[in-house]
Amino acid sequence: MGVGGFLAALRDVTEKKHVSAYRGERVAVDGYCWLHRAAYTCAAELAEGRPCDKWQTFVADRARLLLSAGVEPTVVFDGARLPAKGGEEAKRRLGRQEALANARRHAAMGNYGAADAAYQKAVDIT
């Protein structure tokens, strides 16, 4: 889930630029960030294990955006699960299971906004 406070710590040394400022450069992209954002496009399908390719389109569109600006993306994924984070992973898995149960309950009651929000929390990006 990232390092808490990391982006806030970098705030003073960052500047906003249009992507075209990096034309001709290669940039590293956090692949898991893109996947997590992409999961919003079809969270219910992903959480329920149904086929969905909207997330693939989202990621491909992001890559095409960079390429069209003359920027070469290198998509980076962090490593394998760490044994030291086993307890945290178990807690997250339980949270996803609870979110899936909540999503199903909300959907059954016709509360689709709440169901969608819960489905988004139920998706496991691995």
Side-chain angles (χ1 to χ4, degrees):
M1 295 298 280
V3 179
F6 181 65
L7 293 177
L10 294 177
R11 190 167 291 131
D12 291 342
V13 294
T14 60
E15 60 183 85
K16 291 187 178 191
K17 291 186 177 183
H18 190 272
V19 69
S20 63
Y22 299 99
R23 181 174 303 281
E25 301 288 336
R26 178 181 296 168
V27 298
V29 175
D30 182 342
Y32 280 113
C33 180
W34 277 7
L35 290 177
H36 279 276
R37 299 261 320 260
Y40 284 101
T41 64
C42 53
E45 291 90 341
L46 292 171
E48 293 289 359
R50 295 191 305 260
C52 173
D53 62 359
K54 292 178 189 174
W55 66 271
Q56 295 167 333
T57 302
F58 179 94
V59 171
D61 286 348
R62 293 285 172 159
R64 276 191 288 276
L65 176 74
L66 291 175
L67 291 168
S68 71
V71 178
E72 182 181 346
T74 299
V75 183
V76 179
F77 296 91
D78 54 8
R81 295 190 188 279
L82 299 172
K85 290 181 72 176
E88 180 65 27
E89 291 295 331
K91 190 165 50 170
R92 290 176 184 167
R93 185 173 37 259
L94 180 60
R96 286 190 299 271
Q97 291 169 350
E98 291 172 0
L100 181 57
N102 287 337
R104 289 172 175 163
R105 188 175 63 254
H106 286 302
M109 294 186 305
N111 188 350
Y112 300 111
D116 190 48
Y119 274 125
Q120 290 169 8
K121 294 176 183 175
V123 174
D124 184 17
I125 305 294
T126 56

